Amino acid sequence: MSIRFDEAALTWHLTGPGLSYVVGVKDGLPRQLHWGPAVPDEAVASLAVDPPWETAFDDRAHTGAELLGELGPQFTTPSLQLRHPDGAKGFDWHYADHTLEESAVEGDHLAIRFTDRDLHLTLHYRLWDTGVLDRWASIEAGAPVEVSRFDSAAWTLPHWGDYRLSHLSGEWGAEWQLRRVPLPVGETTIGSRRGHSSHQANPWIAMDDGTATETHGTVYSANLAWSGSWRVLLRRAANGRVAISGGAGHEGLRWTLRAGETWTTPVYSGLFTTAGFGGASRAWHEHLRRHVMPTAEEDAPVLFNSWEAVFFDVAEEKQLPLVELAARIGCEQFVVDDGWFGKRVDDNAGLGDWQPNPDRFPNGLKGLTDAVHKAGMKFGIWVEPEMVNPDSDLHRAHPDWVLHQAGRDRTELRQQLVLDYGRPEVAAWAWTWLDKLLSDNDIDYIKWDHNRPFTEAGRPDSEDPDRAWFEHIEAVYALKERLRAAHPDVRIEGCAGGGGRVDPGMLRYVDQVWTSDNTDAGDRVNIQHGFGQAYPARAMGTWITDEPSGFNQRTTSLRFRFHVASAGVLAVGGNLTEWSEAELEEAAEHVAQYKRLRPVVQHGVQFRLGDPETSSLSGVQYVRGDQIAVLAFKTPWHCARPLAPLRPEGIAADSRWLDEDTGETHWGATLNALGLPLRWKKSDWDSAILRLRRVE
Ligand code: DGJ
């Protein structure tokens, strides 16, 4: 990677693996002059020329703007909205200077500074060896200024004939649904107004011209490192150009920067590839694992989790038989979920009172932690530190510690309210009890849940109540970072009623995430297909639970459920005390099989084989060194749609592969031509695992 500055042309040329990003100050505005395939340095100045075929629409003067402003003929919803004390609006860009910090570990950091009135606005760039470009911005206020929008970055796509948007949407229990739709002329907004990144929309997007496939074609993709409300605006102009502006916060928030204050946006990352949607996903996976997630190089253990096994019924004596059985089938970590503390025997009471319930845990947590460790497993525990039930000692003592507005009802969802972490006393309380919980007990892992969105968020005694939306998330990040530093051996699972808060911002502070409360293996095939567009298998918590599924009453075999759950970080979430001997024995075999696959699944490169949206046959192929693991799934099929075999990706014709389970050897050419030798057992809801090792 390198960054070349041309002082005469006022351009900065960022080059990475096979790509260039050129930013320049043109007609007074910072603009993206190029983002795509590598260009020679000598050609950079010529990129600043307006091509004669561009139609002269009135807002062309703003094409390529690095942030869409409010001044001049710029009629798009802005990326940056400011109001000065005298009523003037916007930021009038005056280039000041730039700094370049080289780094051997991270990408080099370019900061380009502009001034207007008493403000300094800096655009930041960091291009990584993965091809991911991080962009963010900061404002240093010399005098007060009101802000109602401050996006991290705006990206401009090449001028194409057509544009297609891929994004992830859904709802609780149905997160990660991949949508691929034409982008209409006009403004398209995706985002969250919920205070968390949300089940309904994820900040990841991909754009192509309608012709990219899983394996080929140019794809631009972006993702926002922010776990609160957010907005991504895609503007397709009538003349064909597309700008994408993204950042934290939602419409209608406003706050005032104080003199001397600096406000920094979260990172909005962009990615360019010519290797199709699969190539884009692999680049994101590699980037998140190598540069964002804290411990992705570790093998994540096989978990047992008590939630679906017993729900709130988690007394010590009822957990002990599960401990024994979980260890027996090969689980490596036992996680006790909701219901262990305060008066939390259901979801009506107790959140906020973080002492073990003495009726359920007469020996404190020690009885259970000792049993779990004695059984050779690690111990994990569920917490939901940002929430409180009104029926709790904490809320009775501090009713004003929750996000609320003067004179407005406090809407309860799941009988709970959100604590206002922007209040220093609340953040201090959370640190104290969490630190004590981890210091006083032998805990290896916490599952950090967050089960409701914000409503009526505010703080009546604050001059700037909308800051609460931002401060809460910053405080959660800071608390997790502090806990990690104080308890470096403890691992954290990020959870928000399933996959409601999975984004590159949260992935910096958690070791894995909970993907969805929907653990039906049939639905999971699609859910995991969507999740993997943006996030790696190493982050994806996958449970095998009892059938029929509580979500849809579907019944599938133990084998199918285990195989689907083996595509990420495997966990067992069924009530093992009700499993037969035969089921326990079979489960032990599946867990052992997963452990053989684990290095390839958790640390390998992932290829999606087939699309479960359109085909009854799909699979995931993971490659690491000379090893390949394929997990393949057959959902109900229709005789009118005959199934083509699944073929591997990226296998040389003259390579030879040993099937590690049958001992057969296959030519790469044969696998490519005839497909993978998957051993199916029946027709619907079937699955197969194949382990191949390259031989000379
Ligand atoms: C929502 C989570 O997604 C579940 O796994 C479980 O932990 C419950 N919360 C507990 O209340």
Side-chain angles (χ1 to χ4, degrees):
M1 282 100 46
S2 74
I3 301 178
R4 296 280 292 272
F5 174 51
D6 180 336
E7 195 165 0
L10 268 195
T11 55
W12 293 262
H13 182 197
L14 290 75
T15 51
L19 77 105
S20 286
Y21 189 95
V22 181
V23 52
V25 179
K26 183 180 160 218
D27 303 331
L29 276 184
R31 293 171 202 260
Q32 177 193 310
L33 302 178
H34 173 78
W35 181 25
V39 295
D41 261 326
E42 302 71 35
V44 163
S46 63
L47 290 166
V49 174
D50 283 326
W53 54 84
E54 289 269 18
T55 48
F57 273 76
D58 51 8
D59 55 355
R60 174 176 131 183
H62 287 257
T63 299
E66 292 286 81
L67 283 175
L68 303 164
E70 294 175 280
L71 304 178
Q74 201 296 109
F75 305 109
T76 308
T77 300
S79 316
L80 175 64
Q81 277 180 287
L82 304 175
R83 206 159 94 126
H84 302 270
D86 63 1
K89 292 196 167 186
F91 186 85
D92 195 10
W93 301 85
H94 299 281
Y95 170 66
D97 53 30
H98 81 274
T99 56
L100 190 53
E101 274 167 54
E102 291 178 7
S103 162
V105 185
E106 307 189 313
D108 297 346
H109 172 201
L110 167 67
I112 312 177
R113 239 161 49 106
F114 299 83
T115 56
D116 178 35
R117 298 183 165 208
D118 292 313
L119 304 182
H120 293 290
L121 197 160
T122 307
L123 301 177
H124 299 268
Y125 302 81
R126 191 189 297 283
L127 182 58
W128 296 88
D129 55 359
T130 48
V132 168
L133 175 61
D134 284 350
R135 289 185 51 198
W136 70 103
S138 55
I139 289 181
E140 206 185 312
V145 63
E146 186 187 88
V147 185
S148 52
R149 185 78 214 157
F150 189 12
D151 277 351
S152 305
W155 307 92
T156 306
L157 296 188
H159 199 161
W160 289 332
D162 209 351
Y163 294 88
R164 184 168 59 169
L165 165 67
S166 302
H167 64 117
L168 296 163
S169 63
E171 58 179 322
W172 173 73
E175 304 90 331
W176 311 112
Q177 305 302 318
L178 175 64
R179 317 267 168 204
R180 196 152 275 162
V181 292
L183 185 73
V185 169
E187 292 187 354
T188 299
T189 305
I190 57 170
S192 161
R193 304 173 62 89
R194 294 167 182 264
H196 56 207
S197 36
S198 92
H199 309 77
Q200 285 71 14
N202 191 266
W204 171 91
I205 60 160
M207 293 293 302
D208 74 305
D209 68 357
T211 63
T213 64
E214 183 65 19
T215 49
H216 294 92
T218 295
V219 174
Y220 288 84
S221 184
N223 206 347
L224 182 70
W226 183 246
S227 309
S229 294
W230 57 277
R231 186 190 78 183
V232 167
L233 182 109
L234 301 106
R235 188 265 185 148
R236 180 173 176 184
N239 69 358
R241 298 303 301 253
V242 167
I244 302 165
S245 187
H250 56 261
E251 296 295 334
L253 301 182
R254 61 187 65 228
W255 64 102
T256 300
L257 299 190
R258 297 177 283 269
E261 187 183 4
T262 299
W263 183 277
T264 303
T265 71
V267 165
Y268 195 23
S269 305
L271 171 75
F272 154 79
T273 179
T274 53
F277 296 114
S281 298
R282 284 187 288 282
W284 282 126
H285 297 172
E286 187 197 349
H287 183 76
L288 291 167
R289 286 194 320 209
R290 284 189 34 224
H291 298 310
V292 176
M293 294 172 62
T295 58
E297 71 291 349
E298 292 177 4
D299 281 359
V302 177
L303 304 185
F304 174 85
N305 180 291
S306 69
W307 179 242
E308 287 202 36
V310 295
F311 291 101
F312 285 103
D313 198 6
V314 290
E316 179 184 318
E317 91 273 2
K318 289 191 183 155
Q319 294 286 288
L320 294 177
L322 288 167
V323 170
E324 192 206 316
L325 293 170
R328 179 174 148 197
I329 64 169
C331 292
E332 298 160 316
Q333 181 156 278
F334 187 94
V335 182
V336 60
D337 210 282
D338 200 351
W340 59 268
F341 54 91
K343 300 226 163 46
R344 185 79 169 171
V345 293
D346 53 32
D347 56 15
N348 291 311
L351 265 184
D353 301 337
W354 296 103
Q355 301 82 33
N357 177 336
D359 298 337
R360 294 178 160 207
F361 291 89
N363 309 306
L365 291 175
K366 194 167 166 38
L368 190 56
T369 55
D370 281 356
V372 167
H373 288 128
K374 202 160 152 233
M377 293 185 289
K378 293 183 170 177
F379 180 80
I381 194 160
W382 179 95
V383 292
E384 194 178 9
E386 298 155 72
M387 302 290 166
V388 64
N389 282 126
D391 185 359
S392 65
D393 292 343
L394 180 73
H395 189 259
R396 280 183 282 275
H398 301 287
D400 287 343
W401 274 16
V402 297
L403 291 170
H404 68 287
Q405 293 171 7
R408 297 283 180 227
D409 286 347
R410 304 174 183 192
T411 302
E412 291 177 24
L413 296 170
R414 207 191 190 204
Q415 298 76 252
Q416 63 194 56
L417 297 164
V418 185
L419 290 167
D420 180 359
Y421 268 40
R423 284 179 181 271
E425 65 274 28
V426 178
W429 162 84
W431 157 256
T432 304
W433 77 258
L434 276 161
D435 178 51
K436 186 167 164 38
L437 179 74
L438 296 180
S439 304
D440 292 355
N441 298 284
D442 209 353
I443 291 175
D444 305 292
Y445 181 92
I446 53 177
K447 173 179 173 186
W448 183 306
D449 207 345
H450 165 100
N451 274 299
R452 58 153 289 175
F454 296 7
T455 54
E456 302 95 24
R459 193 181 304 142
D461 57 5
S462 160
E463 284 172 11
D464 228 352
D466 284 351
R467 283 178 180 249
W469 290 86
F470 301 95
E471 289 169 348
H472 184 92
I473 303 300
E474 296 289 2
V476 169
Y477 290 160
L479 179 55
K480 287 188 178 172
E481 189 167 22
R482 193 172 170 198
L483 285 169
R484 296 193 77 93
H487 304 277
D489 296 333
V490 173
R491 300 288 167 260
I492 305 180
E493 173 181 348
C495 173
R501 198 162 65 175
V502 180
D503 54 76
M506 194 50 77
L507 279 176
R508 188 167 291 286
Y509 304 99
V510 299
D511 303 277
Q512 63 190 72
V513 295
W514 183 219
T515 310
S516 174
D517 276 350
N518 184 345
T519 56
D520 167 61
D523 286 350
R524 273 297 182 118
V525 173
N526 286 67
I527 286 174
Q528 294 174 188
H529 179 77
F531 184 96
Q533 303 291 320
Y535 303 103
R538 174 60 181 77
M540 184 171 74
T542 44
W543 295 0
I544 134 102
T545 53
D546 292 331
E547 43 126 39
S549 156
F551 264 84
N552 52 24
Q553 300 306 310
R554 184 178 284 140
T555 299
T556 53
S557 68
L558 200 59
R559 168 188 156 96
F560 182 78
R561 284 176 278 144
F562 259 108
H563 285 181
V564 172
S566 294
V569 177
L570 177 67
V572 178
N575 188 350
L576 298 178
T577 59
E578 291 179 0
W579 289 22
S580 66
E581 273 301 308
E583 284 171 325
L584 290 168
E585 269 168 36
E586 186 184 336
E589 280 167 27
H590 289 301
V591 172
Q593 167 81 311
Y594 176 75
K595 289 179 185 168
R596 290 191 285 275
L597 301 171
R598 172 164 54 191
V600 190
V601 169
Q602 292 190 3
H603 309 293
V605 175
Q606 188 187 104
F607 296 84
R608 292 182 287 265
L609 311 179
D611 179 352
E613 296 280 335
T614 54
S615 166
S616 314
L617 200 58
S618 66
V620 207
Q621 173 187 323
Y622 306 83
V623 183
R624 190 177 191 223
D626 62 356
Q627 281 178 283
I628 288 182
V630 177
L631 301 155
F633 314 113
K634 206 191 262 181
T635 53
W637 70 284
H638 194 276
C639 59
R641 282 192 290 153
L643 297 176
L646 282 184
R647 294 187 166 80
E649 286 275 346
I651 291 192
D654 60 357
S655 58
R656 295 184 69 224
W657 297 88
L658 170 72
D659 181 326
E660 297 203 87
D661 292 309
T662 65
E664 292 163 353
T665 309
H666 306 280
W667 280 102
T670 317
L671 298 176
N672 290 337
L674 302 184
L676 294 160
L678 297 163
R679 292 173 290 282
W680 300 108
K681 295 265 195 252
K682 59 188 181 77
S683 57
D684 288 351
W685 303 119
D686 198 3
S687 56
I689 288 183
L690 186 66
R691 292 186 306 129
L692 300 172
R693 186 183 286 276
R694 193 174 174 151
V695 287
E696 290 313 318

